[in-house]
């Protein structure tokens, strides 16, 4: 309750990565799990302009456990293997 999915899109840098943006909407702490139903080689937390944040939470699969503060916006970047 309180976690809202704001957007799902491909990264602006044309890498094929998937950007998922969520926010807490009720003004209180919220926890949840996000499962990306696509192939990915892990994820990391990114800035609003999709840059990877150093020392930020990350994972090695398509599931992310989330703990957001009141009104926090979180951007996740799922690394896709484009198989070039």
């Amino acid at each position: 309750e309180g976690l809202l999915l704001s957007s799902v899109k491909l990264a602006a840098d044309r890498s094929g990565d998937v950007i998922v943006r969520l926010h807490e909407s009720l003004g209180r702490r919220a926890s949840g799990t996000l499962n990306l139903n696509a192939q990915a080689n892990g994820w990391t937390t990114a800035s609003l302009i999709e840059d990877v944040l150093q020392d930020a939470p990350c994972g090695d699969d398509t599931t992310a456990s989330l703990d957001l503060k009141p009104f926090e916006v979180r951007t996740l970047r799922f690394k896709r293997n484009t198989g070039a």
Side-chain angles (χ1 to χ4, degrees), residues 14-15 41 80-84:
R14 299 180 185 226
S15 64
N41 296 326
R80 300 262 324 261
N81 182 358
T82 56

Side-chain angles (χ1 to χ4, degrees), residues 46-78:
S47 69
L48 288 173
I49 59 171
E50 304 175 8
D51 292 334
V52 173
L53 298 175
Q54 298 300 326
D55 301 324
C58 61
D60 58 4
D61 59 9
T62 57
T63 301
S65 294
L66 302 166
D67 291 308
L68 274 66
K69 298 175 186 168
F71 302 114
E72 180 180 358
V73 176
R74 179 84 49 92
T75 303
L76 302 178
R77 184 177 184 124
F78 286 86

Side-chain angles (χ1 to χ4, degrees), residues 7-26:
S7 62
V8 177
K9 67 183 206 77
L10 291 176
D13 63 6
R14 299 180 185 226
S15 64
D17 292 355
V18 175
I19 303 297
V20 178
R21 189 161 292 133
L22 307 105
H23 70 277
E24 193 291 315
S25 64
L26 300 176

